[in-house]
Amino acid sequence: MKRFDIGDTVRIDIPDETDPDHERLHGHRGTVVEIISDDAGAVTDDQREGYLFRVEIANDDTVDVRWRDLRPV
């Protein structure tokens, strides 16, 4: 089950200030440009974990994040 689709506008939300990506990514907005399947869902037994969402943020930078770190805009 994918929570987002290509073309969706999202906000990166990493509330844990100790997370290494918090300062760099928290609060950025972008567009989902690719959805990458992997086997994390089988490892965690949570189908939502089986997808990485590639998000294009400012300056054409892209980052890969899981569903739990994204919010719809």
Side-chain angles (χ1 to χ4, degrees):
M1 174 181 99
K2 293 181 289 185
R3 185 171 174 186
F4 300 99
D5 287 313
I6 292 174
D8 287 352
T9 302
V10 294
R11 179 176 55 86
I12 299 174
D13 182 22
I14 305 173
D16 181 359
E17 293 181 3
T18 64
D19 186 304
D21 290 326
H22 172 83
E23 186 172 324
R24 182 173 70 95
L25 297 175
H26 181 73
H28 282 273
R29 293 173 187 255
T31 303
V32 176
V33 294
E34 186 176 355
I35 300 171
I36 303 161
S37 297
D38 66 13
D39 63 352
V43 173
T44 64
D45 201 29
D46 184 342
Q47 291 180 352
R48 297 172 296 183
E49 296 292 331
Y51 301 98
L52 276 170
F53 296 91
R54 182 157 290 157
V55 177
E56 185 177 295
I57 56 176
N59 301 326
D60 294 325
D61 286 340
T62 58
V63 295
D64 296 337
V65 293
R66 299 278 177 194
W67 66 274
R68 67 183 161 294
D69 294 329
L70 294 176
R71 303 292 176 264
V73 175

